[in-house]
Amino acid sequence: MAPTDLSAARAWPFEEARKVAARLEKSGKDVALFETGYGPSGLPHIGTFGEVARTTWVRRAFELLTGKRSRLIAFSDDMDGLRKVPDNVPNKEMLATHLGRPVTAVPDPFGTHESFGHHNNARLRAFLDAFGFEYEFASSSDYYKSGRFDAALIRMAERHEEVRAVILPTLGPERRATYSPFLPIHPKTGIVMQVPMEEVRPAEDLLIWRDPADGTRHATRITGGHCKAQWKADWALRWFALGVDYEMSGKDLIDSVKLSSAICRVLGGEPPETFTYELFLDAEGQKISKSKGNGLTIEEWLRYAPPESLAQFMFNQPQRAKRLYFDQIPRAVDEYLQHRARLRVAADPAVPAWHIHGGAAPNDPEPPVSFTMLLNLASVVNADDPEILWGFLARYAPGATPRTQPLLGKLVEHAVHYYRDFVAPTKRFREPSPAEREALHALMAALRDRAADLEAMEPEERARAIQDLVYDAGRREPFLQPNKDGSMGVSRAWFNALYQVLLGQEEGPRFGGFVALYGIAGTIGLIETALARGETPVA
């Protein structure tokens, strides 16, 4: 597509891209610099994926709108001091002896890299590479030590009091008395020191400070990696030194963005265009916390669904809080499949799949059934093996195999995992009420009467015809419900009964489609079993 074709695109990545385009028009730059940040004291997580994916969509939209180039830096704050020992690492006792030192100066507890920071940086890069993101990796330790930040550090030293004036109103009295944007590295212990500066001498490239442990006075170079900036100042320093044009961050960093932007202006730079995304909530609507473990890991999501479904979840309304828990996965998968099918019809940038797939529909065929349908089939047949599902799928969609339908093959594997872990332990069948028994008898009789001609139909036509029979069976009290046009329809209670009585779950797919997939005879068997449940035995 030519850039002019997208001038009216309203998807949120294009709205953000226009802000970056206007910024470059004003600055005269030819290349836009996008940035994402990463704290390397822990491993990459689902939020890391979300931030990089969303930034990538804005970056791609910018390039298509303007025809200009862009870069994405994945910046690791690996000069930060190790504040605490993570729970999920070996050799915790060893790590505890290195608290306070930059993570790139802490030995690797796994024994595979030169430092803990290098280990986690490697994990970050492998994580980003696995999803095919295009980025340039940047290490804070490398940038400080190589001199990339030297000029900006001297500028910050020259405006030391102005920078302090931005931060001091946000601090308590005790911290206010000692705050400096500079954190010198202790020449003997290697610890990142948080101490007041007795003197800041930019002309001499020196920080003068005193060790609170023994009172020793030290003179530390400002440049060359001998100190680093406090994190809000560090963020501003990075924006100023590198000329960052765009960066996203979570709602919890709104105040930090404001302060870092003010510091960037003090240094003489223009802070980047920013975007605040909402945080994820757990099933109870509480903020997700890594320490509480109440969230969903990316490994867990990818066990139950393809990565594109996670991208779909991240694309939807990023400025609205969303619950991130297992029940969201089937919905996200089917929403992705729907948008992917739309992308095949028209390359519309309003469709999330357009952004997920870079504007072009994938080459592999669309699955003939939804993920929810697969889950319900797995539930009914107690599928702990993919081959069980393939037996039904081959009859419903002749020629469908893992080779001819690669995406369907992945969904089948995911459906079996999801069934084993979530559906099987929670299946609860209830007895039908007298009214439900009457409706189920009617449905069973209709399926028997129409079995031959239904089986002769194409799958989609068969599903529609069965759905009509389902409605007809439920068109009786207490399921009658008036439609807006005055005609009599069928209430949700009838379909809830089908799911709860026949499938043992609270909700399910469009029932006609399920019967078409599961089979007429099999469905009649389900109804017979349900009707027999709770019947009084004849003496």
Side-chain angles (χ1 to χ4, degrees), residues 124-391:
L124 170 66
R125 298 175 76 168
F127 176 88
L128 298 178
D129 292 343
F131 291 105
F133 291 122
E134 296 179 5
Y135 67 97
E136 301 169 29
F137 179 75
S139 158
S140 177
S141 294
D142 290 346
Y143 273 47
Y144 272 101
K145 292 176 181 178
S146 68
R148 293 284 297 271
F149 288 157
D150 281 358
L153 285 163
I154 294 297
R155 176 71 63 87
M156 185 174 287
E158 292 170 344
R159 302 186 180 180
H160 183 254
E161 291 307 311
E162 294 172 74
V163 173
R164 274 171 40 87
V166 171
I167 299 295
L168 292 183
T170 69
L171 305 175
E174 185 176 339
R175 184 74 187 92
R176 195 180 304 144
T178 62
Y179 176 81
S180 170
F182 292 107
L183 301 174
I185 310 299
H186 198 292
K188 294 182 179 179
T189 66
I191 289 176
V192 181
M193 300 297 294
Q194 188 164 289
V195 292
M197 296 298 107
E198 292 190 357
E199 296 181 61
V200 176
R201 304 176 185 172
E204 301 173 54
D205 187 14
L206 288 178
L207 301 172
I208 309 301
W209 56 280
R210 197 174 296 274
D211 187 339
D214 59 14
T216 305
R217 199 164 184 258
H218 294 276
T220 297
R221 285 182 56 198
I222 299 170
T223 61
H226 294 90
C227 80
K228 73 175 299 291
Q230 293 264 14
W231 99 264
K232 294 183 182 70
D234 185 79
W235 209 4
L237 181 89
R238 191 190 314 165
W239 290 344
F240 171 70
L242 304 180
V244 175
D245 294 300
Y246 188 86
E247 183 155 0
M248 292 186 175
S249 56
K251 181 181 179 180
D252 55 335
L253 297 181
I254 288 177
D255 290 340
S256 298
V257 169
K258 293 177 181 177
L259 292 171
S260 296
S261 296
I263 294 172
C264 186
R265 292 188 179 96
V266 166
L267 298 179
E270 182 62 29
E273 295 295 327
T274 58
F275 179 86
T276 299
Y277 54 81
E278 260 287 2
L279 305 178
F280 297 124
L281 307 175
D282 66 10
E284 281 70 47
Q286 301 298 311
K287 177 182 173 183
I288 284 178
S289 165
K290 286 187 288 184
S291 61
K292 292 180 182 178
N294 62 335
L296 182 65
T297 69
I298 196 162
E299 291 81 11
E300 288 168 332
W301 186 292
L302 297 182
R303 172 174 167 79
Y304 305 116
E308 294 86 358
S309 66
L310 179 57
Q312 174 72 54
F313 182 82
M314 294 295 177
F315 187 91
N316 292 341
Q317 299 175 310
Q319 291 181 300
R320 176 178 294 182
K322 293 195 287 287
R323 298 192 177 192
L324 179 61
Y325 59 103
F326 294 103
D327 284 0
Q328 295 288 336
I329 293 176
R331 187 179 299 112
V333 175
D334 282 339
E335 191 172 359
Y336 161 68
L337 293 177
Q338 292 163 9
H339 288 304
R340 177 183 147 119
R342 287 178 59 194
L343 182 61
R344 286 191 182 279
V345 177
D348 182 359
V351 176
W354 187 94
H355 300 268
I356 294 170
H357 290 290
N363 292 324
D364 56 318
E366 298 302 305
V369 295
S370 69
F371 188 57
T372 301
M373 191 73 76
L374 282 177
L375 289 177
N376 282 280
L377 178 61
S379 175
V380 171
V381 302
N382 299 313
D384 57 1
D385 187 326
E387 289 303 317
I388 297 175
L389 297 183
W390 280 111

Side-chain angles (χ1 to χ4, degrees), residues 139 144 272 339 418 472 487 501:
S139 158
Y144 272 101
H339 288 304
Y418 196 96
D472 289 342
S487 63
V501 173

Side-chain angles (χ1 to χ4, degrees), residues 5-26:
D5 296 333
L6 300 169
S7 59
R10 307 315 302 175
W12 70 261
F14 281 97
E15 299 289 354
E16 292 300 296
R18 290 186 182 93
K19 290 159 52 177
V20 183
R23 176 187 174 90
L24 262 70
E25 187 71 26
K26 183 178 178 180

Side-chain angles (χ1 to χ4, degrees), residues 442-443 446-447 450 454 457 460-476 490 494-495 498 510-513 515:
L443 176 58
L447 290 173
R450 295 282 308 278
L454 288 171
M457 297 177 183
E460 290 187 6
E461 182 186 2
R462 186 190 317 149
R464 288 193 295 270
I466 294 171
Q467 189 71 12
D468 289 340
L469 297 181
V470 173
Y471 274 108
D472 289 342
R475 201 166 276 114
R476 66 188 68 232
V490 179
W494 167 231
F495 296 96
L498 292 172
R510 188 171 177 82
F511 204 75
V515 176

